[in-house]
Amino acid sequence: LALPLERGTRGLGAAALARLGLADTTGAIALLERGVAAREPFFALTPLSAHAFAPIAADPRFVAVVRAVGAEGAPRAPRR
């Protein structure tokens, strides 16, 4: 099921956060990658170090997104 925000090239970051809320980490990272490619303004407004991104912090694809947008300080993965 695609969220309405996932159909265009704007709102991809917000849709990625929604996917994380649904525990869809693969979908969230895919949307973040699309957001980077589309030069989504989300990355200028939302720190990738936010706790919401902790579930994907250790994923190499997320690390690549962080590097692609020039961000630092990715969130730490939650302790178990």
Side-chain angles (χ1 to χ4, degrees), residues 13-41:
L17 287 174
R19 287 282 170 199
L20 283 173
L22 297 170
D24 179 6
T25 57
T26 302
I29 294 172
L31 287 166
L32 291 172
E33 290 170 334
R34 283 182 51 204
V36 168
R39 300 177 57 96
E40 171 87 39

Side-chain angles (χ1 to χ4, degrees), residues 7-66:
R7 295 189 184 115
T9 58
R10 293 290 178 234
L12 296 171
L17 287 174
R19 287 282 170 199
L20 283 173
L22 297 170
D24 179 6
T25 57
T26 302
I29 294 172
L31 287 166
L32 291 172
E33 290 170 334
R34 283 182 51 204
V36 168
R39 300 177 57 96
E40 171 87 39
F42 171 85
F43 298 106
L45 304 171
T46 306
L48 295 177
S49 59
H51 181 70
F53 296 107
I56 57 174
D59 189 300
R61 290 173 62 197
F62 180 72
V63 173
V65 166
V66 171

